[in-house]
Amino acid sequence: MDFYFPTELGEQLAFAAAAFTALAGFIIMFAPGYAMRLVGVMPREGRRDGYAEQRSVGGFYLGFGLSAIMLAQDWIYMALGVSFAMAAFARVISLLSDKGSTILNYLLLVVQIVLAALPLAYVFGFFSA
């Protein structure tokens, strides 16, 4: 079985979004303490459940990203894009209702919008071959 790398720009960008998702998932899964410090959250003292939650989320990102890379199908890229679009929408809700207006939240919102836009733009044909 050969490794498939896309030849057209649009699919390469969608592939890059999937690769970034997998890489972020790998880091979150295997270095949850680092990932939590990066976004400014830590589990309560004496409770280590936060690490399990982070590892679980990281595993989901890693699995989703790798699935998109390995399958390289429009529907998978669409699912990836829609998932990040919903995550961005949830972040906007948090910015408006949770008083979470911080530079980090705005930066992560931009990252989520880009990760949503790249696969969706490819799927909906915004990149010409």
Side-chain angles (χ1 to χ4, degrees):
M1 184 165 124
D2 294 329
F3 177 73
Y4 171 74
F5 186 77
T7 55
E8 62 183 71
L9 176 64
E11 191 174 4
Q12 287 174 349
L13 294 174
F15 183 94
F20 182 84
T21 302
L23 177 64
F26 182 83
I27 292 168
I28 294 168
M29 190 165 86
F30 289 107
Y34 174 75
M36 286 189 285
R37 276 191 303 277
L38 187 65
V39 295
V41 296
M42 287 302 292
R44 290 187 315 197
E45 192 171 321
R47 300 275 319 249
R48 312 246 335 139
D49 299 342
Y51 289 103
E53 186 63 31
Q54 284 296 107
R55 286 186 197 277
S56 177
V57 168
F60 181 81
Y61 279 22
L62 179 59
F64 202 174
L66 287 177
S67 295
I69 289 170
M70 291 171 29
L71 297 173
Q73 298 292 315
D74 288 353
W75 284 103
I76 301 295
Y77 287 135
M78 183 181 295
L80 184 67
V82 168
S83 296
F84 273 113
M86 291 307 298
F89 179 66
R91 190 169 299 274
V92 169
I93 291 172
S94 178
L95 285 167
L96 297 174
S97 62
D98 300 334
K99 298 182 178 125
S101 185
T102 65
I103 297 295
L104 180 62
N105 265 338
Y106 285 112
L107 178 65
L108 291 173
L109 175 63
V110 169
V111 169
Q112 288 174 330
I113 289 170
V114 169
L115 289 174
L118 292 177
L120 290 175
Y122 165 67
V123 169
F124 291 118
F126 287 102
F127 295 107
S128 60

